Short mmCIF file of all heavy atoms in Angstrom, two decimals:
data_model
loop_
_atom_site.label_atom_id
_atom_site.label_comp_id
_atom_site.label_asym_id
_atom_site.label_seq_id
_atom_site.Cartn_x
_atom_site.Cartn_y
_atom_site.Cartn_z
N LYS T 1 32.56 26.38 85.31
CA LYS T 1 32.62 27.84 85.47
C LYS T 1 33.76 28.23 86.41
O LYS T 1 34.53 29.15 86.10
CB LYS T 1 31.28 28.35 86.00
CG LYS T 1 31.27 29.79 86.46
CD LYS T 1 31.16 30.77 85.32
CE LYS T 1 30.93 32.19 85.78
NZ LYS T 1 32.09 33.01 85.90
N ALA T 2 33.88 27.55 87.54
CA ALA T 2 34.95 27.87 88.50
C ALA T 2 36.32 27.61 87.89
O ALA T 2 37.25 28.41 88.07
CB ALA T 2 34.76 27.04 89.78
N MET T 3 36.45 26.51 87.15
CA MET T 3 37.72 26.19 86.52
C MET T 3 38.05 27.23 85.44
O MET T 3 39.20 27.65 85.31
CB MET T 3 37.68 24.78 85.94
CG MET T 3 39.02 24.21 85.64
SD MET T 3 38.83 22.45 85.26
CE MET T 3 39.91 21.80 86.49
N PHE T 4 37.05 27.63 84.67
CA PHE T 4 37.25 28.65 83.65
C PHE T 4 37.76 29.95 84.29
O PHE T 4 38.73 30.55 83.81
CB PHE T 4 35.95 28.92 82.89
CG PHE T 4 36.02 30.11 81.96
CD1 PHE T 4 36.77 30.05 80.80
CD2 PHE T 4 35.35 31.26 82.26
CE1 PHE T 4 36.83 31.14 79.94
CE2 PHE T 4 35.40 32.35 81.41
CZ PHE T 4 36.15 32.30 80.25
N ASP T 5 37.14 30.38 85.37
CA ASP T 5 37.57 31.60 86.06
C ASP T 5 39.01 31.48 86.54
O ASP T 5 39.80 32.42 86.41
CB ASP T 5 36.64 31.92 87.23
CG ASP T 5 35.25 32.34 86.78
OD1 ASP T 5 35.07 32.73 85.60
OD2 ASP T 5 34.33 32.28 87.63
N ASN T 6 39.36 30.32 87.08
CA ASN T 6 40.71 30.09 87.59
C ASN T 6 41.73 30.09 86.44
O ASN T 6 42.79 30.71 86.53
CB ASN T 6 40.75 28.78 88.37
CG ASN T 6 41.98 28.65 89.25
OD1 ASN T 6 42.79 29.56 89.37
ND2 ASN T 6 42.12 27.49 89.85
N VAL T 7 41.40 29.41 85.36
CA VAL T 7 42.31 29.34 84.22
C VAL T 7 42.43 30.72 83.56
O VAL T 7 43.51 31.11 83.13
CB VAL T 7 41.86 28.26 83.21
CG1 VAL T 7 42.62 28.36 81.90
CG2 VAL T 7 42.06 26.89 83.82
N ARG T 8 41.33 31.47 83.50
CA ARG T 8 41.41 32.83 82.94
C ARG T 8 42.38 33.68 83.76
O ARG T 8 43.20 34.41 83.19
CB ARG T 8 40.03 33.47 82.89
CG ARG T 8 40.08 34.88 82.27
CD ARG T 8 38.73 35.53 82.14
NE ARG T 8 37.93 35.32 83.33
CZ ARG T 8 36.60 35.24 83.31
NH1 ARG T 8 35.95 35.33 82.18
NH2 ARG T 8 35.95 35.07 84.43
N ASP T 9 42.32 33.57 85.08
CA ASP T 9 43.27 34.30 85.92
C ASP T 9 44.70 33.84 85.64
O ASP T 9 45.61 34.66 85.54
CB ASP T 9 42.95 34.10 87.41
CG ASP T 9 41.70 34.84 87.84
OD1 ASP T 9 41.20 35.71 87.07
OD2 ASP T 9 41.19 34.54 88.94
N LEU T 10 44.89 32.53 85.50
CA LEU T 10 46.21 31.99 85.22
C LEU T 10 46.75 32.53 83.90
O LEU T 10 47.90 32.97 83.80
CB LEU T 10 46.16 30.46 85.16
CG LEU T 10 47.45 29.76 84.77
CD1 LEU T 10 48.45 29.83 85.92
CD2 LEU T 10 47.18 28.32 84.38
N ILE T 11 45.92 32.51 82.86
CA ILE T 11 46.35 32.92 81.52
C ILE T 11 46.60 34.42 81.45
O ILE T 11 47.50 34.87 80.75
CB ILE T 11 45.33 32.45 80.47
CG1 ILE T 11 45.38 30.92 80.34
CG2 ILE T 11 45.58 33.11 79.11
CD1 ILE T 11 44.25 30.33 79.51
N THR T 12 45.82 35.21 82.18
CA THR T 12 45.96 36.66 82.09
C THR T 12 46.97 37.23 83.08
O THR T 12 47.55 38.28 82.82
CB THR T 12 44.60 37.37 82.27
OG1 THR T 12 44.04 37.00 83.53
CG2 THR T 12 43.65 37.02 81.14
N THR T 13 47.20 36.55 84.22
CA THR T 13 48.11 37.09 85.23
C THR T 13 49.28 36.17 85.57
O THR T 13 50.25 36.63 86.18
CB THR T 13 47.36 37.37 86.56
OG1 THR T 13 46.98 36.13 87.15
CG2 THR T 13 46.14 38.26 86.33
N GLY T 14 49.17 34.90 85.25
CA GLY T 14 50.20 33.94 85.63
C GLY T 14 49.96 33.32 86.99
O GLY T 14 50.74 32.49 87.45
N HIS T 15 48.86 33.70 87.65
CA HIS T 15 48.54 33.19 88.99
C HIS T 15 47.19 32.49 88.98
O HIS T 15 46.26 32.93 88.31
CB HIS T 15 48.52 34.32 90.01
CG HIS T 15 49.78 35.10 90.06
ND1 HIS T 15 50.95 34.61 90.58
CD2 HIS T 15 50.07 36.35 89.62
CE1 HIS T 15 51.91 35.52 90.46
NE2 HIS T 15 51.39 36.59 89.88
N SER T 16 47.11 31.42 89.76
CA SER T 16 45.84 30.71 89.90
C SER T 16 45.54 30.51 91.37
O SER T 16 46.39 30.71 92.22
CB SER T 16 45.91 29.35 89.19
OG SER T 16 46.81 28.51 89.86
N HIS T 17 44.31 30.11 91.65
CA HIS T 17 43.92 29.80 93.03
C HIS T 17 43.68 28.31 93.10
O HIS T 17 42.60 27.85 92.77
CB HIS T 17 42.66 30.56 93.46
CG HIS T 17 42.05 31.43 92.43
ND1 HIS T 17 42.48 32.71 92.19
CD2 HIS T 17 41.05 31.22 91.54
CE1 HIS T 17 41.76 33.23 91.22
NE2 HIS T 17 40.89 32.35 90.81
N GLY T 18 44.71 27.58 93.45
CA GLY T 18 44.55 26.14 93.58
C GLY T 18 45.29 25.38 92.51
O GLY T 18 45.84 25.93 91.56
N ASP T 19 45.29 24.07 92.67
CA ASP T 19 46.00 23.17 91.77
C ASP T 19 45.21 22.97 90.49
O ASP T 19 44.05 22.57 90.53
CB ASP T 19 46.23 21.83 92.47
CG ASP T 19 46.98 20.84 91.60
OD1 ASP T 19 47.72 21.27 90.69
OD2 ASP T 19 46.85 19.62 91.85
N LEU T 20 45.83 23.24 89.36
CA LEU T 20 45.18 23.05 88.07
C LEU T 20 45.73 21.86 87.31
O LEU T 20 45.35 21.63 86.17
CB LEU T 20 45.33 24.31 87.22
CG LEU T 20 44.51 25.51 87.66
CD1 LEU T 20 44.86 26.74 86.85
CD2 LEU T 20 43.03 25.20 87.51
N GLY T 21 46.65 21.13 87.91
CA GLY T 21 47.23 19.98 87.23
C GLY T 21 47.93 20.40 85.95
O GLY T 21 48.64 21.40 85.90
N LYS T 22 47.67 19.64 84.88
CA LYS T 22 48.33 19.92 83.59
C LYS T 22 47.93 21.27 83.00
O LYS T 22 48.64 21.82 82.17
CB LYS T 22 48.03 18.81 82.59
CG LYS T 22 48.71 17.51 82.93
CD LYS T 22 48.40 16.45 81.89
CE LYS T 22 49.10 15.16 82.22
NZ LYS T 22 48.80 14.12 81.22
N LEU T 23 46.79 21.79 83.41
CA LEU T 23 46.37 23.10 82.90
C LEU T 23 47.35 24.20 83.30
O LEU T 23 47.40 25.26 82.67
CB LEU T 23 44.97 23.45 83.40
CG LEU T 23 43.84 22.60 82.83
CD1 LEU T 23 42.54 22.87 83.57
CD2 LEU T 23 43.67 22.86 81.35
N ALA T 24 48.17 23.95 84.31
CA ALA T 24 49.19 24.92 84.73
C ALA T 24 50.18 25.19 83.60
O ALA T 24 50.87 26.21 83.61
CB ALA T 24 49.92 24.42 85.98
N ALA T 25 50.23 24.31 82.62
CA ALA T 25 51.12 24.52 81.47
C ALA T 25 50.78 25.80 80.73
O ALA T 25 51.62 26.35 80.00
CB ALA T 25 51.04 23.32 80.52
N LEU T 26 49.58 26.31 80.90
CA LEU T 26 49.16 27.55 80.24
C LEU T 26 49.63 28.80 80.99
O LEU T 26 49.38 29.91 80.54
CB LEU T 26 47.64 27.58 80.10
CG LEU T 26 47.04 26.47 79.23
CD1 LEU T 26 45.53 26.42 79.40
CD2 LEU T 26 47.41 26.68 77.77
N SER T 27 50.34 28.62 82.09
CA SER T 27 50.74 29.76 82.92
C SER T 27 51.65 30.76 82.22
O SER T 27 51.62 31.94 82.52
CB SER T 27 51.42 29.27 84.21
OG SER T 27 52.62 28.57 83.89
N GLY T 28 52.45 30.31 81.28
CA GLY T 28 53.37 31.21 80.60
C GLY T 28 52.73 32.10 79.56
O GLY T 28 53.35 33.06 79.08
N VAL T 29 51.48 31.83 79.20
CA VAL T 29 50.82 32.60 78.16
C VAL T 29 50.71 34.08 78.53
O VAL T 29 50.79 34.95 77.67
CB VAL T 29 49.44 32.00 77.82
CG1 VAL T 29 48.68 32.87 76.84
CG2 VAL T 29 49.58 30.59 77.28
N HIS T 30 50.56 34.36 79.82
CA HIS T 30 50.40 35.77 80.23
C HIS T 30 51.59 36.64 79.81
O HIS T 30 51.46 37.85 79.69
CB HIS T 30 50.15 35.87 81.74
CG HIS T 30 51.39 35.79 82.57
ND1 HIS T 30 52.01 34.59 82.85
CD2 HIS T 30 52.14 36.74 83.14
CE1 HIS T 30 53.08 34.83 83.58
NE2 HIS T 30 53.18 36.12 83.77
N LYS T 31 52.73 36.02 79.56
CA LYS T 31 53.92 36.78 79.14
C LYS T 31 53.81 37.22 77.68
O LYS T 31 54.63 38.01 77.21
CB LYS T 31 55.17 35.92 79.31
CG LYS T 31 55.46 35.54 80.74
CD LYS T 31 56.66 34.61 80.82
CE LYS T 31 56.85 34.09 82.21
NZ LYS T 31 57.88 33.05 82.26
N PHE T 32 52.82 36.70 76.97
CA PHE T 32 52.64 37.00 75.55
C PHE T 32 51.21 37.50 75.34
O PHE T 32 50.33 36.74 74.93
CB PHE T 32 52.90 35.75 74.70
CG PHE T 32 54.25 35.14 74.97
CD1 PHE T 32 54.39 34.09 75.88
CD2 PHE T 32 55.38 35.64 74.35
CE1 PHE T 32 55.63 33.55 76.14
CE2 PHE T 32 56.63 35.10 74.60
CZ PHE T 32 56.76 34.06 75.50
N PRO T 33 50.97 38.78 75.61
CA PRO T 33 49.60 39.32 75.56
C PRO T 33 48.86 39.04 74.25
O PRO T 33 47.64 38.84 74.26
CB PRO T 33 49.80 40.83 75.76
CG PRO T 33 51.09 40.93 76.51
CD PRO T 33 51.93 39.79 76.02
N ALA T 34 49.56 38.97 73.15
CA ALA T 34 48.91 38.70 71.87
C ALA T 34 48.36 37.29 71.81
O ALA T 34 47.51 36.99 70.96
CB ALA T 34 49.89 38.92 70.72
N ARG T 35 48.80 36.40 72.70
CA ARG T 35 48.35 35.00 72.69
C ARG T 35 47.31 34.69 73.75
O ARG T 35 46.79 33.57 73.80
CB ARG T 35 49.55 34.07 72.86
CG ARG T 35 50.51 34.12 71.71
CD ARG T 35 49.80 33.64 70.50
NE ARG T 35 50.67 33.64 69.34
CZ ARG T 35 50.22 33.59 68.10
NH1 ARG T 35 48.94 33.55 67.87
NH2 ARG T 35 51.05 33.58 67.10
N VAL T 36 46.99 35.64 74.60
CA VAL T 36 46.01 35.40 75.66
C VAL T 36 44.66 35.00 75.07
O VAL T 36 44.03 34.03 75.51
CB VAL T 36 45.88 36.64 76.59
CG1 VAL T 36 44.66 36.55 77.48
CG2 VAL T 36 47.15 36.78 77.44
N LYS T 37 44.20 35.72 74.04
CA LYS T 37 42.92 35.39 73.43
C LYS T 37 42.94 34.02 72.77
O LYS T 37 41.94 33.32 72.75
CB LYS T 37 42.52 36.46 72.42
CG LYS T 37 42.13 37.76 73.08
CD LYS T 37 41.71 38.79 72.06
CE LYS T 37 41.31 40.09 72.75
NZ LYS T 37 40.84 41.09 71.78
N CYS T 38 44.10 33.63 72.24
CA CYS T 38 44.23 32.29 71.63
C CYS T 38 43.98 31.21 72.68
O CYS T 38 43.28 30.23 72.42
CB CYS T 38 45.62 32.11 71.03
SG CYS T 38 46.05 33.28 69.73
N ALA T 39 44.58 31.38 73.84
CA ALA T 39 44.45 30.38 74.90
C ALA T 39 43.06 30.37 75.52
O ALA T 39 42.58 29.33 75.98
CB ALA T 39 45.50 30.63 75.98
N LEU T 40 42.38 31.51 75.52
CA LEU T 40 41.06 31.60 76.13
C LEU T 40 39.92 31.22 75.20
O LEU T 40 38.83 30.86 75.65
CB LEU T 40 40.82 33.01 76.69
CG LEU T 40 41.62 33.35 77.94
CD1 LEU T 40 41.41 34.80 78.33
CD2 LEU T 40 41.25 32.42 79.09
N LEU T 41 40.15 31.28 73.90
CA LEU T 41 39.07 31.00 72.95
C LEU T 41 38.37 29.66 73.20
O LEU T 41 37.14 29.63 73.30
CB LEU T 41 39.59 31.06 71.50
CG LEU T 41 38.56 30.64 70.45
CD1 LEU T 41 37.39 31.61 70.42
CD2 LEU T 41 39.22 30.55 69.09
N PRO T 42 39.10 28.55 73.32
CA PRO T 42 38.39 27.28 73.56
C PRO T 42 37.58 27.28 74.85
O PRO T 42 36.52 26.66 74.93
CB PRO T 42 39.50 26.23 73.60
CG PRO T 42 40.73 26.88 73.12
CD PRO T 42 40.53 28.36 73.19
N TRP T 43 38.06 27.99 75.85
CA TRP T 43 37.34 28.06 77.12
C TRP T 43 36.01 28.79 76.96
O TRP T 43 34.99 28.39 77.51
CB TRP T 43 38.21 28.72 78.19
CG TRP T 43 39.29 27.81 78.64
CD1 TRP T 43 40.54 27.69 78.10
CD2 TRP T 43 39.20 26.86 79.68
NE1 TRP T 43 41.23 26.72 78.77
CE2 TRP T 43 40.45 26.19 79.74
CE3 TRP T 43 38.20 26.49 80.58
CZ2 TRP T 43 40.70 25.19 80.66
CZ3 TRP T 43 38.46 25.50 81.50
CH2 TRP T 43 39.70 24.85 81.53
N HIS T 44 36.02 29.89 76.20
CA HIS T 44 34.78 30.62 75.95
C HIS T 44 33.80 29.75 75.17
O HIS T 44 32.60 29.76 75.44
CB HIS T 44 35.05 31.92 75.20
CG HIS T 44 35.65 32.98 76.06
ND1 HIS T 44 34.96 33.61 77.07
CD2 HIS T 44 36.90 33.52 76.07
CE1 HIS T 44 35.74 34.50 77.66
NE2 HIS T 44 36.93 34.47 77.07
N ALA T 45 34.31 29.00 74.20
CA ALA T 45 33.44 28.11 73.41
C ALA T 45 32.86 27.01 74.28
O ALA T 45 31.67 26.68 74.18
CB ALA T 45 34.21 27.53 72.22
N VAL T 46 33.67 26.42 75.15
CA VAL T 46 33.17 25.38 76.05
C VAL T 46 32.13 25.95 77.00
O VAL T 46 31.09 25.32 77.24
CB VAL T 46 34.33 24.72 76.83
CG1 VAL T 46 33.82 23.96 78.03
CG2 VAL T 46 35.12 23.81 75.92
N ALA T 47 32.37 27.14 77.52
CA ALA T 47 31.39 27.76 78.41
C ALA T 47 30.05 27.94 77.70
O ALA T 47 28.99 27.64 78.26
CB ALA T 47 31.91 29.10 78.93
#
């Protein structure tokens, strides 16, 4: 849950709270609003 919240912030704003390792690769998605839901879909399913 905490990781999901952090990654959601990263994907929607480009900022995270803490080290996300390779998940930081998703940081550029926020520049493409049409792709935010694409990046978040697997996270919602996992949750």
Side-chain angles (χ1 to χ4, degrees):
K1 169 80 170 96
M3 197 170 238
F4 171 71
D5 291 341
N6 196 5
V7 169
R8 182 177 43 210
D9 288 347
L10 176 73
I11 290 170
T12 58
T13 69
H15 304 289
S16 67
H17 1 277
D19 181 24
L20 288 173
K22 290 181 179 180
L23 291 170
L26 298 168
S27 63
V29 174
H30 81 281
K31 297 176 188 172
F32 306 95
R35 294 297 181 198
V36 166
K37 289 181 180 183
C38 299
L40 288 175
L41 174 64
W43 287 89
H44 285 291
V46 163

